[in-house]
Amino acid sequence: MAEAASYDVVIIGGGPGGYNAAIRAGQLGLKAACIEMRETLGGTCLNVGCMPSKALLHASELYEAVMKEFPTLGIDVGAPKLNLGQMMAQKADSVGALTKGIEFLFKKNKVEWIKGKGRITGPGAVEVTATDGSKSTLAAKNIVIATGSEPTPLPGVDFVEGKVVDSTGALSLPAVPKKLIVVGAGIIGLELGSVWRRLGAEVTVVEFLDRITPGMDKDVATAFQRALTKQGMTFKLGAKVTAAKTGKDGVELTVEPAAGGTAETLKGDVVLVAIGRRPYTDGLGLENVGVTPDKRGFIANDHFKAGTGGVWVIGDVTHGPMLAHKAEEDAVAAIELIAGKAGHVDYDLVPSVVYTAPEVAWVGKTEDQLKEAGVAYKAGKFPFTANSRAKINHETDGFVKVLADATTDKILGVHILGPQAGEMIGEACVAMAFGGAAEDIARICHPHPTRSEAVKQAAMGVDNWTMQA
């Protein structure tokens, strides 16, 4: 039998955590291999998550703009027609270009991509099973687990192709459903619900909690729900789905009040189950290196180390926000530690974004978190109705809220509901990373007219000198 190929680091998983770990390892001169069981690199994010969903969000926003906004702007384009096949094709083309881009980066940084499923067989040993069933063994000084996550199934509700789908299925529906029921009012459900609502579906969102988007500032979440309702979404909050019956005419969901009460039946053509994601560790061989996931399936880490023997863990499969950019930061930190450098991630400064219209973005603490912790704070708030650029562009839903320490003025959290929120939150991340105060943002010159002036004005509001509202 041939001697096992030897590497400084073997990474299991080729998503945002895994491929960035591989690239950074190559940059630092480490001999690296990345094992990926898909036929393309990029993981869930590039193949069936972040990127294809953004392609459909962008296309559906433009479609709705042509239908509703263009006449107001004095642009007459006649009667637009949806070509769903072409919309899906351009999505696939964009995704394909991105995955090929990662292949190029692997070659550029001398990273070896090994196609197949990786399984840890012992300290420093990874077995790879190729799609044809053949097996090979890799020797590694360090093993990085970057296997990501998968959609969480809903008890009592089985997936049925084209009828009861997860986020992957919702990205490739062959036709616009007349009625779409989304189970789960989190980021994924609301983004994909927005896509199909714009394309013509009647969308109902069922959520177990009494609010949407847990983790989001409650003030923002309330305004966000109001905006989505105005657009045509219907919400059933505090409701529990207990069963699903699929027939040729669609799906019947049995829904009960979460607090108890009389059940009702909801009927839809398609049901999207989007109640969250869980770590993916199936068949990984963790027991062979003494690693045991917790009850929810997450692998604990100590500065990215899992157990002993050179095993590291990053991204969705370990604790922290289940976000692609968090996985990327984990990747860089873990590889730099492996290379003998310093590696650190501040999870308090990982921003979150909902790519609906309006967008929602936030970083740092919410008001509820500050109240619960007994932190004295001041808040500044500025509405997009008073922002010149937003008003001119007919994008006035939402506001910016800046939370700062009542004594030191240090920024504790920034929350944005409005146009381009995901782009603007970066300013807050930078300010907070440098320990900035609300006054720092308030006194920095922002270009006019831009939406970013709303962040400045909200920061001014912390000390009660907002000038434009």
Side-chain angles (χ1 to χ4, degrees):
M1 187 166 128
E3 189 176 335
S6 184
Y7 300 88
D8 294 314
V9 57
V10 167
I11 299 139
I12 305 176
Y19 76 70
N20 279 293
I23 290 167
R24 188 67 182 126
Q27 288 177 338
L28 293 175
L30 300 174
K31 186 180 179 185
C34 183
I35 303 166
E36 172 54 53
M37 63 185 182
R38 280 191 176 93
E39 286 301 308
T40 52
L41 292 165
T44 293
C45 179
L46 258 68
N47 289 280
V48 290
C50 320
M51 306 321 296
S53 66
K54 301 311 163 284
L56 293 183
L57 282 159
H58 176 63
S60 63
E61 276 185 44
L62 292 177
Y63 177 73
E64 187 169 63
V66 171
M67 300 286 281
K68 296 181 179 178
E69 187 78 6
F70 275 30
T72 304
L73 299 175
I75 305 169
D76 186 1
V77 293
K81 184 180 177 184
L82 173 64
N83 184 339
L84 187 59
Q86 174 56 28
M87 190 176 286
M88 293 297 178
Q90 62 84 30
K91 175 198 72 173
D93 287 346
S94 298
V95 168
L98 289 169
T99 58
K100 285 182 174 61
I102 299 172
E103 286 185 53
F104 166 75
L105 291 171
F106 271 25
K107 289 172 184 171
K108 176 184 174 184
N109 291 286
K110 299 181 174 59
V111 173
E112 189 175 343
W113 172 22
I114 300 173
K115 294 183 181 181
K117 184 168 183 178
R119 180 175 178 270
I120 302 169
T121 55
V126 181
E127 181 184 78
V128 181
T129 304
T131 50
D132 63 5
S134 62
K135 297 180 187 295
S136 58
T137 301
L138 311 180
K141 293 177 186 173
N142 296 278
I143 299 168
V144 177
I145 299 169
T147 46
S149 60
E150 62 183 350
T152 303
L154 180 62
V157 178
D158 296 327
F159 290 113
V160 179
E161 188 174 353
K163 298 282 188 184
V164 181
V165 300
D166 60 12
S167 55
T168 301
L171 288 166
S172 302
L173 295 177
V176 179
K178 287 188 179 67
K179 291 188 177 182
L180 172 67
I181 301 172
V182 179
V183 183
I187 293 174
I188 295 170
L190 296 181
E191 285 186 353
L192 292 175
S194 292
V195 167
W196 293 108
R197 183 204 58 75
R198 292 184 198 124
L199 299 181
E202 182 184 308
V203 177
T204 300
V205 181
V206 180
E207 168 58 45
F208 182 78
L209 300 175
D210 61 359
R211 54 160 293 173
I212 70 169
T213 49
M216 184 185 290
D217 184 273
K218 196 176 290 183
D219 183 27
V220 177
T222 300
F224 182 35
Q225 183 183 340
R226 194 181 307 124
L228 294 175
T229 301
K230 189 169 70 173
Q231 292 171 10
M233 274 194 193
T234 301
F235 291 89
K236 294 189 74 66
L237 304 180
K240 179 171 68 171
V241 175
T242 56
K245 182 181 176 184
T246 306
K248 62 180 181 178
D249 295 330
V251 187
E252 291 186 357
L253 284 187
T254 303
V255 179
E256 299 176 0
T262 306
E264 65 175 310
T265 300
L266 296 182
K267 295 181 180 180
D269 303 290
V270 176
V271 171
L272 163 59
V273 177
I275 59 170
R277 297 182 65 83
R278 62 184 183 185
Y280 181 83
T281 57
D282 186 40
L284 197 51
L286 297 175
E287 66 281 359
N288 297 321
V289 283
V291 174
T292 305
D294 66 18
K295 286 186 293 186
R296 294 173 59 210
F298 290 98
I299 301 171
N301 77 82
D302 179 13
H303 294 285
F304 308 104
K305 290 182 180 177
T308 58
V311 178
W312 306 73
V313 61
I314 62 174
D316 283 6
V317 81
T318 191
H319 294 287
M322 297 178 88
L323 299 166
H325 44 282
K326 176 265 191 185
E328 181 176 344
E329 297 304 315
D330 280 359
V332 171
I335 293 299
E336 291 187 348
L337 287 167
I338 288 170
K341 296 176 175 289
H344 174 70
V345 180
D346 186 345
Y347 295 116
D348 288 333
L349 294 183
V350 175
S352 294
V353 184
V354 190
Y355 294 93
T356 47
E359 289 186 350
V360 190
W362 69 96
V363 64
K365 302 299 184 184
T366 67
E367 286 203 64
D368 281 346
Q369 288 171 332
L370 294 176
K371 287 173 184 173
E372 191 176 330
V375 176
Y377 69 93
K378 295 187 292 184
K381 199 170 176 181
F382 188 82
F384 278 102
T385 50
N387 175 264
S388 301
R389 183 68 186 275
K391 200 158 187 122
I392 290 293
N393 286 15
H394 309 289
E395 300 171 325
T396 54
D397 276 337
F399 56 86
V400 179
K401 180 161 69 173
V402 175
L403 306 173
D405 187 279
T407 304
T408 66
D409 198 37
K410 181 180 179 180
I411 303 167
L412 303 176
V414 176
H415 306 268
I416 307 173
L417 167 67
Q420 300 290 309
E423 303 292 342
M424 290 190 287
I425 201 64
E427 173 182 9
C429 296
V430 172
M432 292 172 71
F434 282 90
E439 187 178 357
D440 292 327
I441 290 181
R443 294 196 180 276
I444 290 171
C445 185
H446 287 60
H448 175 77
T450 62
R451 304 169 185 92
S452 70
E453 289 175 286
V455 180
K456 173 185 172 80
Q457 291 287 327
M460 293 162 71
V462 170
D463 204 31
N464 296 314
W465 63 292
T466 297
M467 297 170 63
Q468 293 175 6

